[in-house]
Every structure is written in structure tokens, then in C-alpha cells.
Amino acid sequence: MKNYLREIFSDILLSIVTKKYGTSLNDYQREEKADEIIKELHDKNTFTVEMTQALIDKKGFNTFYTSNIGGTPVYALVKEGMFHKVKICYFITRNKDTIDGPYLEKIYEELRKQAIGENIFHSSEFKQG
């Protein structure tokens, strides 16, 4: 995952753009607006975004999927090995409406705690690696 904001949150970003601009934009313009949001998020939250990306890079997450743990919507960040065998699996809270500084900080804290061994969502799928 080279740009977690773009890869994981693509659907949310495009939904935010659609809510703001309606159907007046074509696909290319929507993608451009999503990229502008990503740049703004990065510029306003540089430390948090870069630390989160560094943690994702260090763990080698290469895919993700949406899930639900005890009624909490989450993204599972996964490092898959040969034959799609899960080697590491961490979770982050999934927010369907907004992406802002406090949410990015929450994601970083969730990943940081899991990196030191805390199964913060108490999931049987949590895997330290």
C-alpha cells in the first residue's frame, strides 16, 4: 500500500465529492477532487499521515477488506503471503461519512496499539505476525 489514504478510503472520498458536487462532475473530475482532498488532509495532518503510512509500510500490509467486529464497522489491513495466507491482520475503525484530522489520529493510534500487541477490537482475526 503506497498511499493508504487513496487506496483504503477511495470510496469514502468519492462519496464526499459526490455529496458536495452532485453529478455535475465526470469521473476524471471526481478523481481530481478526491486527490485535492487527499493533498489537503496530508498538508494539514502531515505527521499523522506519514507516521501511519510508515507503520503500514513497516508491517507490509498489501491488501484490506471491510468487516464488522461486535457491531463496529472496520477495515482489516492484511499482509498476505503465499496462497493468500494471512500473516498479519490489524483493524481500523471505518467511518463512512468523513475523513478529518481527529479520524486520522484515531487510525494511527489504533494501528500503533496493535503494533505493540494490543488486540483493541478483541477480534479472533487479529494476527500479530
Side-chain angles (χ1 to χ4, degrees):
M1 258 182 251
K2 299 297 179 208
N3 181 346
Y4 80 96
L5 288 174
R6 167 50 91 183
E7 293 177 49
I8 296 172
F9 303 117
S10 178
D11 288 349
I12 295 171
L13 291 166
L14 292 175
S15 174
I16 290 168
V17 169
T18 301
K19 284 179 188 173
K20 187 172 183 179
Y21 296 99
T23 57
S24 64
L25 303 177
N26 63 34
D27 289 346
Y28 178 77
Q29 291 168 321
R30 274 197 302 278
E31 293 286 340
E32 278 188 331
K33 293 293 182 189
D35 287 340
E36 288 173 15
I37 293 170
I38 290 170
K39 182 174 178 359
E40 182 179 331
L41 284 168
H42 184 275
D43 291 349
K44 288 182 178 177
N45 306 280
T46 303
F47 178 81
T48 303
V49 170
E50 291 186 5
M51 291 300 291
T52 303
Q53 185 66 55
L55 208 155
I56 287 170
D57 293 345
K58 182 177 181 181
K59 293 296 177 182
F61 294 120
N62 52 14
T63 191
F64 69 95
Y65 61 89
T66 58
S67 188
N68 204 310
I69 300 173
T72 302
V74 296
Y75 290 104
L77 304 184
V78 179
K79 178 180 181 180
E80 287 184 343
M82 296 290 284
F83 308 109
H84 300 287
K85 182 173 171 43
V86 174
K87 295 184 171 217
I88 302 174
C89 183
Y90 288 5
F91 299 94
I92 57 173
T93 303
R94 188 173 84 220
N95 184 344
K96 298 177 184 175
D97 299 322
T98 60
I99 300 176
D100 57 13
Y103 177 61
L104 295 174
E105 289 173 20
K106 181 178 183 175
I107 288 169
Y108 173 68
E109 279 303 307
E110 290 171 350
L111 290 174
R112 188 189 64 74
K113 287 177 181 177
Q114 291 171 88
I116 59 173
E118 286 185 48
N119 183 356
I120 60 172
F121 289 97
H122 309 289
S123 171
S124 59
E125 294 179 52
F126 173 73
K127 199 165 192 177
Q128 189 64 2

